Amino acid sequence: MNDWLNFALSLAAFLSSHIIPRIGGLRDRLIAKLGRQIYFSLYGALSLVLFAWVIVAVGAAPRVEIWPQYPWMRWIPNLAMPLVFVLVFCGLGLRCPNTLGSKQGAEFDPSDPGIAAVSRHPLLLALLIWAGAHLVVNGELAHVILFGTFASFPLIAMWGFDRKSARLMGEHAETFFALTSWLSFRPLMRRHWWRQNLGALAPRCLLGLLCWAALLPLHEAVIGAWPFP
């Protein structure tokens, strides 16, 4: 029972750390007082500590199997994670307002949507893919709760950010939503899009793949599970 309580508290603390700062303009007041760099450094450190608590707590929770794990299932996160890292690196400093990781004061350019044409929420999409892929391969109750929660969070956040964009962009919102998407592969089939974006995105994609390759061997040591079948 104590293990379930510890897991519940860790997950609640982690989610609360992402929700509470957005209530009543608390985050904006803290940024104004501390500065963006100090605030996000402290916020990032707190998030890592709370996430580590979640990982330890879910590993200690009682094992209640909902569905079995088959060897082929482990290929799903292995195939998904390179895309996750690419989305994260391409989404940092995104030239698109009202999403996680967007550049401060970013304004949308209809003539050059950039990665937003593929996804206007690349970091949130990366979290959704990560959680969904790991949900398939982890059928124990604690992991289902964990990854199910993490999969729900970006869906709610993307919907909320889109509502904010529709409200703030006014008459420009229709163009914005027509040129961007939660996920679309159509821009990748257009030469014009590649000519505009290859130079900026290629190094980010490469860094994402290198980071994935470097961290993959550490999965067992950090998480406690061998990632391959």
Side-chain angles (χ1 to χ4, degrees):
M1 187 64 181
N2 288 336
D3 289 333
W4 279 117
L5 179 61
N6 185 46
F7 170 59
L9 289 174
S10 68
L11 188 56
F14 182 81
L15 294 175
S16 296
S17 71
H18 288 73
I19 296 171
I20 292 176
R22 296 185 177 274
I23 297 175
L26 175 61
R27 188 183 76 157
D28 293 335
R29 291 198 300 272
L30 289 173
I31 289 175
K33 186 174 183 178
L34 300 173
R36 289 184 65 86
Q37 185 172 355
I38 294 177
Y39 171 81
F40 282 107
S41 296
L42 293 174
Y43 182 71
L46 176 62
S47 295
L48 287 174
V49 170
L50 292 176
F51 186 67
W53 181 17
V54 171
I55 296 300
V56 172
V58 76
R63 297 179 179 274
V64 180
E65 186 179 90
I66 298 179
W67 62 78
Q69 181 187 113
Y70 299 103
W72 64 265
M73 290 180 173
R74 294 200 176 200
W75 285 114
I76 296 176
N78 277 293
L79 293 173
M81 289 309 295
L83 175 60
V84 167
F85 276 88
V86 167
L87 285 170
V88 168
F89 275 80
C90 289
L92 293 172
L94 184 70
R95 293 184 292 106
C96 181
N98 305 322
T99 189
L100 184 66
S102 63
K103 187 177 181 180
Q104 185 181 8
E107 293 186 4
F108 179 70
D109 182 0
S111 66
D112 184 15
I115 191 64
V118 178
S119 176
R120 57 179 173 265
H121 305 295
L123 266 65
L124 292 168
L125 181 62
L127 176 58
L128 176 60
I129 295 172
W130 169 80
H134 284 79
L135 177 61
V136 174
V137 78
N138 289 282
E140 294 178 354
L141 179 58
H143 289 88
V144 170
I145 294 172
L146 174 68
F147 292 117
T149 301
F150 281 161
S152 301
F153 178 78
L155 288 172
I156 296 170
M158 287 190 284
W159 173 78
F161 278 126
D162 282 354
R163 282 176 58 89
K164 184 177 181 180
S165 292
R167 185 177 70 253
L168 296 179
M169 298 181 77
E171 61 182 12
H172 302 293
E174 185 176 353
T175 301
F176 172 68
F177 288 119
L179 295 175
T180 62
S181 175
W182 277 20
L183 177 62
S184 174
F185 294 106
R186 273 183 284 181
L188 303 180
M189 303 175 188
R190 299 171 184 160
R191 290 184 179 180
H192 176 68
W193 186 88
W194 283 108
R195 283 198 298 268
Q196 282 187 315
N197 298 285
L198 182 61
L201 294 180
R204 289 173 174 255
C205 292
L206 180 59
L207 284 172
L209 292 175
L210 289 174
C211 188
W212 163 74
L215 292 177
L216 183 60
L218 302 177
H219 192 281
E220 184 177 22
V222 176
I223 306 300
W226 178 245
F228 297 106

